[in-house]
């Protein structure tokens, strides 16, 4: 009588950028997967991406096609890693052939946050002095804040979160605009002086959510990832990503969104703004949450009818100069 030998389950290799925030997010995903699959081994492997290496040039000047994802994607296609954890806002809407968005995890607060220098303790955007120097590397934040607060001075800032906060504390800036989710994940919520309302700053597509990318022909990994998928977040993010994809915008274009699910309905708001803040187009659509991507396309077409494409064409021309 012959006995059957069962081969051990493969070790699942998780790819991550080397930044502090990326590792916190990746280890969180590893922990969640381990909770669901205690008998499996999940190994984290780190890589430096192009965006991590260039810190002295504005993001909009170096392009955003896979800026923080390409090296991880090459690793997956070369079978070096099985999946990669991304801040979803960094993941392009068009993925390389052979790769898919395997799952989207539950979202942290996607809002932008104001962090001020100690001398402005207690102040918010509407009480900061005229000419206050605001640091941000995001054209989306820049355009919206210029629209609402033209009396501020805006200055580009790069580097990881600790580097940026160090520059603020050293007095190079009066305030910074950062993602509330990143501050929370790094246990720095106490640095938030104001969670900026969506009426002032619509957030980036996918902000606050993690996207797990993997090979499309790896059913085992796709099945494993189902355990940490958060459907309401996924529906919201699919709508946002479809909106961005339809407008052919990247994460370094002033396009902002806000999504909400009420019952079976998804409410999607989107905006496109000029870089100088002189004009801003915004609208909202509502529909079935199960038709999330169709809603994103509908909103993009609605904004196009209101002049969004002309604004985007101007911005692309400016960025390429």
């Amino acid at each position: 009588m012959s006995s059957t030998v069962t081969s051990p389950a493969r070790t699942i290799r998780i790819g991550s950028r080397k930044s502090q925030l990326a590792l916190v997010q990746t280890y969180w995903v590893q922990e969640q997967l381990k909770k669901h699959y205690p008998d499996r081994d999940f190994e984290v492997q780190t890589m430096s991406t192009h965006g991590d290496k260039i810190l002295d040039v504005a993001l909009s000047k170096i392009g955003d096609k896979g800026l923080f994802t390409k090296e991880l994607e090459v690793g997956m296609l070369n079978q070096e890693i099985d999946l990669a954890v991304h801040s979803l806002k960094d993941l392009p809407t068009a993925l390389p052939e052979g790769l898919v968005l395997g799952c989207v995890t539950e979202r942290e607060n996607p809002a932008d946050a104001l962090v001020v220098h100690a001398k402005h303790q207690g102040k918010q955007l509407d009480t900061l002095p005229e000419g206050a120097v605001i640091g941000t590397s995001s054209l989306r934040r820049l355009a919206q804040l210029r629209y609402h607060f033209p009396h501020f001075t805006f200055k580009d800032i790069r580097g990881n979160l600790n580097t940026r906060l160090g520059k603020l504390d050293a007095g190079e800036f009066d305030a910074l605009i950062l993602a509330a989710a990143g501050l929370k994940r790094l246990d720095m919520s106490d640095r938030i002086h104001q969670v900026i309302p969506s009426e002032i700053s619509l957030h980036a597509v996918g902000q606050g959510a993690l996207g797990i990318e993997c090979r499309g022909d790896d059913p085992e990994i796709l099945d494993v990832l189902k355990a940490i998928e958060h459907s309401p977040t996924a529906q919201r993010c699919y709508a946002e990503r479809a909106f961005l994809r339809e407008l052919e915008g990247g994460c370094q274009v002033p396009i902002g969104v806000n999504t909400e699910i009420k019952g079976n309905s998804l409410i999607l708001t989107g905006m496109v703004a000029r870089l100088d803040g002189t004009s801003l187009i915004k609208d909202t659509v509502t529909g079935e949450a199960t038709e999330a991507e169709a809603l994103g396309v509908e909103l993009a077409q609605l904004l196009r009818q209101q002049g969004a494409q002309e604004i985007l064409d101007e911005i692309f021309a400016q960025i390429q100069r």
Side-chain angles (χ1 to χ4, degrees), residues 24-261:
V24 166
Q25 294 174 165
T26 300
Y27 287 131
W28 179 84
V29 168
Q30 181 189 39
E31 181 186 345
Q32 299 309 306
L33 289 170
K34 194 70 181 169
K35 282 180 185 175
H36 289 280
Y37 301 97
D39 297 329
R40 300 294 299 261
D41 288 324
F42 298 92
E43 174 186 290
V44 172
Q45 296 185 16
T46 61
M47 299 180 183
S48 290
T49 66
H50 187 53
D52 295 316
K53 297 170 186 172
I54 303 177
L55 297 175
D56 57 350
V57 181
L59 291 177
S60 58
K61 295 292 184 186
I62 51 179
D64 62 359
K65 299 297 184 186
L67 197 56
F68 295 107
T69 61
K70 186 175 179 182
E71 286 77 4
L72 293 164
E73 291 173 334
V74 170
M76 281 182 282
L77 292 170
N78 289 342
Q79 309 277 331
E80 295 164 13
I81 55 175
D82 300 304
L83 56 97
V85 179
H86 306 290
S87 292
L88 188 55
K89 69 181 178 62
D90 293 333
L91 189 64
T93 55
L95 303 183
E97 186 176 353
L99 298 180
V100 296
L101 180 55
C103 85
V104 178
T105 65
E106 187 168 6
R107 191 175 217 167
E108 288 283 5
N109 185 347
D112 291 328
L114 176 74
V115 180
V116 302
H117 186 272
K119 67 184 177 184
H120 298 303
Q121 192 70 28
K123 287 191 167 66
Q124 298 194 342
L125 278 169
D126 58 358
T127 53
L128 283 170
E130 185 169 344
V133 178
I134 313 295
T136 177
S137 59
S138 161
L139 299 183
R140 171 190 58 80
R141 291 169 181 154
L142 178 65
Q144 292 183 96
L145 291 174
R146 276 180 172 160
Y147 180 79
H148 292 284
F149 303 99
H151 56 280
F152 289 155
T153 299
F154 295 95
K155 187 176 168 185
D156 192 69
I157 184 168
R158 292 288 315 280
N160 63 37
L161 205 51
N162 285 323
T163 299
R164 296 185 198 196
L165 291 171
K167 290 179 178 180
L168 171 69
D169 294 339
E172 293 183 40
F173 300 86
D174 291 294
L176 303 179
I177 310 296
L178 301 166
L183 289 163
K184 182 176 179 185
R185 288 188 176 119
L186 290 177
D187 293 323
M188 294 181 180
S189 295
D190 59 317
R191 297 298 306 257
I192 298 174
H193 291 81
Q194 180 186 13
V195 175
I196 302 173
S198 59
E199 292 77 20
I200 292 174
S201 184
L202 292 178
H203 60 75
V205 166
Q207 187 160 301
L210 303 182
I212 319 296
E213 191 179 16
C214 65
R215 290 182 294 274
D217 63 356
D218 195 336
E220 181 183 356
I221 296 299
L222 286 164
D223 191 55
V224 164
L225 291 177
K226 286 178 185 174
I228 59 172
E229 170 93 341
H230 188 252
S231 292
T233 299
Q235 288 172 329
R236 291 168 64 190
C237 291
Y238 290 150
E240 295 171 12
R241 286 171 65 79
F243 170 67
L244 183 65
R245 188 186 304 116
E246 185 69 14
L247 287 176
E248 298 177 352
C251 62
Q252 286 309 311
V253 170
I255 292 173
V257 293
N258 188 63
T259 45
E260 189 179 357
I261 289 182

